[in-house]
């Protein structure tokens, strides 16, 4: 089985995440996409606004409508800072018959050489890079042993971010259609990001 892993803070998960996951699934021939909220992301200076439990519940709600999407709480359960290599080692050990590919944006593909223990990472998994319109990725700048483990797939321009959603909620704006309807209801019931 070939599984795409889409990790993120998901504070909150939004339609852009789901479009990206679906494009990666279709273009790379994935059997499933596992949506994996980070416990404590190492590259984000500020803590998530929603609690870990709330972010997990929103990911579960967002995945409900797609039989190819599966929420996975491995980083939350593990606790601590979420470094990719540690997560990958856990996944490979827990699912030895599954091949994994990380789904990342083209901007992150450019920074793969700087990832913590990238040489160990590429021995275990591949990457699916979402090539966004207008973003120029210079694959020649990436070492060959990393480049050979990256498949680029086209991604439509979707200008939605968790920051925009939090800002809209804070000013009492509507985020309908920016997030799945179940997530929108969750935000309203729990009054998330209102202050």
């Amino acid at each position: 089985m070939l599984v795409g892993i889409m990790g993120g803070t998901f504070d909150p998960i939004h339609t852009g995440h789901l479009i990206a996951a679906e494009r990666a699934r279709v273009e790379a021939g994935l059997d499933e996409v596992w949506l994996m909220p980070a416990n404590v992301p190492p590259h984000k200076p500020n803590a998530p606004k929603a609690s870990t439990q709330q972010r997990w519940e929103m990911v579960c709600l967002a995945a409900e409508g797609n039989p190819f999407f599966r929420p996975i709480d491995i980083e939350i359960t593990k606790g601590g800072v979420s470094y990719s290599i540690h997560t990958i080692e856990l996944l490979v050990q827990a699912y030895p018959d599954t091949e994994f590919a990380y789904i990342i944006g083209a901007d992150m593909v450019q920074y793969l050489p700087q990832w913590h223990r990238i040489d160990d990472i590429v021995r275990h998994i591949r990457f699916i890079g979402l090539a966004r319109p207008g973003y120029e990725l210079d694959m020649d700048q990436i070492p060959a042993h990393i480049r050979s483990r990256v498949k680029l797939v086209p991604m439509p321009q979707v200008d939605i971010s968790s920051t925009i959603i939090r800002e809209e909620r804070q000013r009492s704006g509507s985020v309908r259609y920016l997030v799945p309807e179940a997530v929108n209801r969750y935000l309203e019931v729990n009054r998330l990001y209102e202050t």
Side-chain angles (χ1 to χ4, degrees):
M1 187 158 86
L2 178 57
V3 170
I5 299 290
M6 177 173 273
T9 309
F10 298 132
D11 190 26
I13 191 166
H14 54 70
T15 308
H17 292 127
L18 301 180
I19 292 169
E22 182 67 4
R23 293 310 316 143
R25 183 187 74 78
V26 171
E27 295 288 337
L30 301 174
D31 295 299
E32 291 183 351
V33 175
W34 294 359
L35 303 169
M36 182 178 63
N39 186 51
V40 179
H43 60 282
K44 300 262 177 135
N46 301 316
K49 307 295 184 206
S51 72
T52 302
Q53 184 62 32
Q54 289 170 326
R55 292 184 297 114
W56 169 249
E57 289 171 0
M58 287 188 283
V59 166
C60 291
L61 289 169
E64 278 180 355
N66 189 322
F68 300 106
F69 290 177
R70 175 177 161 192
I72 183 166
D73 65 354
I74 194 167
E75 289 195 344
I76 292 171
T77 303
K78 177 176 64 72
V81 175
S82 300
Y83 284 107
S84 297
I85 185 60
H86 302 142
T87 302
I88 291 161
E89 288 170 343
L90 288 171
L91 286 169
V92 169
Q93 183 179 12
Y95 304 95
D97 297 328
T98 301
E99 186 178 351
F100 293 102
Y102 255 122
I103 301 167
I104 59 175
D107 53 336
M108 290 301 295
V109 170
Q110 198 75 64
Y111 290 100
L112 282 175
Q114 282 81 49
W115 279 35
H116 178 65
R117 291 178 56 192
I118 187 61
D119 291 340
D120 293 327
I121 291 173
V122 296
R123 277 194 281 276
H124 291 295
I125 66 157
R126 295 184 285 154
F127 289 89
I128 299 167
L130 301 169
R132 297 182 179 135
Y135 182 82
E136 293 299 321
L137 173 62
D138 187 358
M139 290 294 284
D140 292 335
Q141 296 298 314
I142 299 170
H145 73 288
I146 299 173
R147 187 172 58 235
S148 68
R149 302 291 284 167
V150 176
K151 176 180 178 62
L152 293 177
V153 302
M155 170 68 187
Q157 185 67 44
V158 179
D159 197 14
I160 302 172
S161 72
S162 297
T163 301
I164 288 170
I165 291 163
R166 290 192 305 268
E167 289 170 354
E168 277 297 310
R169 292 280 305 155
Q170 192 167 24
R171 65 180 195 84
S172 301
S174 171
V175 297
R176 193 168 196 187
Y177 306 119
L178 299 179
V179 297
E181 188 55 34
V183 173
N184 189 42
R185 285 193 303 272
Y186 185 92
L187 294 174
E188 290 176 358
V189 167
N190 292 280
R191 305 189 68 181
L192 275 176
Y193 314 118
E194 288 185 3
T195 55

